[in-house]
Amino acid sequence: MYHILVSFKHMLLRKLTNRCYKGITSLCTISEQLTYLTFRKNFCLYKRKVGDRLVDMEGKNEVKVVNSEKNPQKRPAEPYAWTKRKNNRVEQVVDEDFVRRKRRKFALLLSYSGKGYLGMQRNPGFRTIEDDLLQAMNKADLMNEEGCTCPQIYHFQRAARTDKGVSAARQVVSVKLPDDVANIPAAINQHLSESIQVMKAIRTTKGFNCKTWCDSRTYSYLCPTYAFTPVDKITTADYRITSEVVEELRKILASYKGTHNFHNFTARKKAHEDSAKRYIMDMTCGEPFERNGYEWIMITVKGQSFMLHQIRKMIGVAMAISRGIAGKDVIVKAFNNERFDLPIAPGLGLVLEEPHYEIYNKRFASDGIHEGLTWSDVTNEIQKFREKYIDFTIIDTEIRENPMIKWLETLPMHSFTVRDEKRIGYGATGIAGAAVKLAKHIRESVSDNEAEDEDEGDLDQYRVAHKLQNIVSQNGNETATTEEYLDQYAEEPQKESQTGNETTCTENK
């Protein structure tokens, strides 16, 4: 009886060869499932090609393939082919106008100004660098509409994320593109704005991923030198930094070199987490220079990877020490397990200089097949783009809006000591009190999963705007602005601090 049942199951399996294997596993034992898989494998070997027909050895089925005139010997891609059954014959109908395009992995070098964009990473409903880039590829016939909404199907990846308003002199993305385009950068650039340009396209290995192969990244921070004005002097645009202050600043920046626990220099990271430890290869500053009546200085930092707001906090602490607001031992203490109250410098001057691929170049650049990921032949074009769109935007915005001056006014509000979560902003009134309440509400409601471990990548800017809109709409006043809401919130008096000598601490949001 058992052998009869097994024979019946095998006969049933043969009739269900085109159905899902998952639906019939309950009918079989493990050994019989293996028998079925072996049968499916051997069944494909029964077929042989005869002319333009595929006929199995038993002669029961016949598949007719209608080939394209442009490529009569090659079977077209499956998305553009379908089958129909007629008189027990299966015919595969193919679109004769379709031409299959081979795709290869490319590394694209981008330069862009972050002004007017909500960062690099695409976010539906907001203007981002990736959205403009993907739309330009679609218009250039390098990918379809599906690739714009789901770029992963073309293996799209970025080397580093940049926050709102942050620019990049050299940003790298990897993506699969057709290999029949003579000049990929020119094809994409004609559909991009002048503030985003593809400088170069290099053919890479099949498994290349611009994020995982990136072994280090270099950032720069351009700021006016009055950010380092001593606290006992008036901060104005007429200030000129001395050579002694520059040398002292370089010593402060050198304190970050090496592997340290940077949990105090980011958000929502605990001291015991291994991912909070980062390796800083170099951090220094150049010589000051004048531009448009202001004196400027550039800080550069190179590391394996950076966490959320890490660079901006490192620079903010260095400015506080140089001005004399914080002690020189703050950096060393901040590497300990206690949670410190540290400021975040403005994001205007932050620029992604270059992702480095030294390991990739060492392994593949000399194999005679692949090209190294170096950009020396487009250095002049990058420098011209930077001076016209990146440096000009930073300098012009700083002169017109003075974001650094406004931020320096809030610098003394930070304690640079162990943070007491219960007393943050205690005693603050007016707009400051409203900002403290809003920052606390956002900090408590944001999920830990939103703190992505990528370079300077964050979406807090639009999250704050959305939470304000939600709070305002819940209050029944959809036309109220952010300032009106803060004014309304500020009318609620807070209790005065019981000890007048305590320094008020607010979260810089």
Side-chain angles (χ1 to χ4, degrees):
M1 186 66 181
Y2 173 77
H3 296 289
I4 296 176
L5 292 176
V6 171
S7 302
F8 175 77
K9 290 179 182 178
H10 287 177
M11 181 181 67
L12 181 63
L13 291 177
R14 183 177 182 85
K15 293 182 178 180
L16 298 178
T17 52
N18 292 327
R19 296 190 181 183
C20 179
Y21 168 70
K22 184 178 179 180
I24 61 174
T25 52
S26 60
L27 301 177
C28 309
T29 63
I30 296 179
S31 60
E32 292 168 349
Q33 293 176 23
L34 295 176
T35 303
Y36 168 71
L37 294 176
T38 305
F39 166 75
R40 288 294 303 271
K41 180 179 179 181
N42 295 334
F43 183 79
C44 298
L45 301 178
Y46 290 161
K47 298 183 178 181
R48 59 187 177 86
K49 188 171 182 181
V50 180
D52 61 347
R53 297 182 301 168
L54 294 176
V55 185
D56 65 335
M57 297 299 294
E58 299 178 0
K60 294 182 179 180
N61 297 319
E62 188 176 57
V63 180
K64 183 178 181 181
V65 180
V66 183
N67 290 309
S68 171
E69 296 180 357
K70 298 181 179 179
N71 194 359
Q73 299 299 328
K74 191 168 185 178
R75 185 173 181 174
E78 291 299 329
Y80 296 90
W82 63 94
T83 61
K84 64 179 182 179
R85 183 179 294 274
K86 184 178 180 181
N87 297 330
N88 201 24
R89 293 165 59 94
V90 179
E91 293 188 0
Q92 187 177 34
V93 183
V94 180
D95 185 3
E96 297 185 0
D97 295 331
F98 170 72
V99 178
R100 187 172 185 177
R101 304 175 72 183
K102 289 186 178 179
R103 291 184 174 272
R104 308 295 184 187
K105 186 66 73 68
F106 284 88
L108 302 182
L109 177 66
L110 304 178
S111 297
Y112 58 83
S113 172
K115 183 179 180 180
Y117 290 91
L118 194 75
M120 172 69 181
Q121 187 181 17
R122 63 182 300 269
N123 182 42
F126 298 90
R127 190 187 183 197
T128 62
I129 303 296
E130 280 188 9
D131 275 330
D132 283 12
L133 179 61
L134 293 173
Q135 291 295 336
M137 290 183 181
N138 180 31
K139 294 177 182 179
D141 197 24
L142 299 178
M143 65 172 55
N144 53 22
E145 286 289 347
E146 186 180 4
C148 296
T149 57
C150 186
Q152 291 81 7
I153 63 177
Y154 294 109
H155 299 248
F156 184 90
Q157 183 59 271
R158 73 200 73 83
R161 292 195 302 183
T162 52
D163 204 353
K164 177 183 178 182
V166 178
S167 304
R170 298 171 184 85
Q171 168 74 285
V172 178
V173 299
S174 56
V175 61
K176 277 192 170 183
L177 298 176
D179 61 355
D180 56 357
V181 181
N183 193 339
I184 293 179
I188 300 176
N189 287 337
Q190 63 180 345
H191 302 288
L192 287 172
S193 62
E194 293 183 353
S195 60
I196 307 176
Q197 291 293 298
V198 179
M199 296 296 180
K200 190 176 180 180
I202 296 180
R203 170 81 180 278
T204 62
T205 59
K206 181 180 180 180
F208 175 76
N209 184 303
C210 63
K211 179 183 175 182
T212 57
W213 273 105
C214 181
D215 43 62
S216 61
R217 300 165 176 86
T218 298
Y219 282 84
S220 67
Y221 191 86
L222 181 63
C223 62
T225 56
Y226 59 69
F228 305 95
T229 306
V231 69
D232 56 346
K233 295 183 179 180
I234 300 176
T235 302
T236 63
D238 298 330
Y239 174 79
R240 295 295 181 267
I241 194 170
T242 62
S243 58
E244 292 77 12
V245 176
V246 173
E247 289 299 324
E248 184 66 23
L249 176 60
R250 288 170 179 164
K251 294 180 181 179
I252 296 172
L253 297 175
S255 303
Y256 291 111
K257 293 182 180 180
T259 303
H260 304 286
N261 191 330
F262 285 93
H263 75 101
N264 274 315
F265 295 85
T266 185
R268 301 180 288 278
K269 281 283 186 182
K270 305 299 182 182
H272 64 272
E273 298 182 26
D274 293 336
S275 59
K277 295 181 180 180
R278 299 299 163 113
Y279 174 49
I280 304 300
M281 301 176 180
D282 187 29
M283 190 169 186
T284 186
C285 65
E287 294 296 329
F289 61 93
E290 289 200 20
R291 185 79 61 84
N292 295 358
Y294 284 63
E295 189 180 52
W296 305 84
I297 193 169
M298 181 176 291
I299 299 174
T300 58
V301 54
K302 181 180 180 180
Q304 278 188 338
S305 61
F306 301 93
M307 295 179 290
L308 170 66
H309 296 325
Q310 179 183 343
I311 297 176
R312 291 166 60 186
K313 277 201 171 187
M314 293 166 63
I315 294 174
V317 173
M319 290 179 176
I321 297 175
S322 180
R323 289 173 62 87
I325 298 176
K328 297 182 179 180
D329 58 345
V330 171
I331 297 178
V332 178
K333 291 181 178 179
F335 293 149
N336 297 328
N337 295 338
E338 295 83 3
R339 192 68 180 174
F340 270 58
D341 175 33
L342 303 178
I344 304 176
L348 175 64
L350 187 63
V351 178
L352 172 62
E353 288 292 333
E354 182 179 359
H356 302 278
Y357 296 92
E358 297 175 1
I359 298 177
Y360 177 88
N361 292 337
K362 184 178 181 180
R363 181 174 179 180
F364 296 107
S366 59
D367 62 358
I369 301 175
H370 302 94
E371 183 180 354
L373 299 181
T374 57
W375 327 108
S376 56
D377 55 333
V378 291
T379 301
N380 295 334
E381 290 80 357
I382 295 175
Q383 186 61 30
K384 291 179 181 178
F385 179 91
R386 174 171 187 147
E387 293 177 356
K388 184 176 181 180
Y389 294 102
I390 300 179
D391 293 345
F392 174 80
T393 300
I394 295 174
I395 294 174
D396 182 67
T397 305
E398 181 64 41
I399 294 176
R400 288 188 296 102
E401 302 178 6
N402 295 319
M404 183 61 71
I405 291 288
K406 298 176 182 178
W407 177 79
L408 291 174
E409 294 174 354
T410 66
L411 196 57
M413 301 175 67
H414 295 270
S415 64
F416 300 94
T417 57
V418 178
R419 174 184 294 179
D420 186 355
E421 295 290 345
K422 297 181 180 180
R423 300 189 62 83
I424 290 181
Y426 188 77
T429 59
I431 298 297
V436 171
K437 287 185 178 181
L438 179 61
K440 183 178 180 181
H441 171 72
I442 295 172
R443 185 172 59 252
E444 293 176 351
S445 60
V446 172
S447 170
D448 291 343
N449 295 330
E450 293 174 347
E452 295 292 342
D453 182 23
E454 291 193 27
D455 296 332
E456 293 300 317
D458 189 33
L459 303 177
D460 284 343
Q461 299 289 342
Y462 76 83
R463 290 195 185 105
V464 171
H466 270 269
K467 290 195 177 292
L468 280 174
Q469 294 175 2
N470 294 337
I471 295 173
V472 170
S473 60
Q474 291 174 3
N475 293 337
N477 184 10
E478 297 181 355
T479 60
T481 62
T482 303
E483 290 76 8
E484 293 174 352
Y485 169 71
L486 288 175
D487 292 340
Q488 179 183 356
Y489 211 165
E491 292 177 359
E492 303 178 8
Q494 290 187 336
K495 297 179 181 180
E496 294 183 358
S497 175
Q498 296 179 359
T499 56
N501 296 330
E502 293 182 358
T503 304
T504 302
C505 306
T506 60
E507 179 107 350
N508 182 20
K509 286 286 182 180

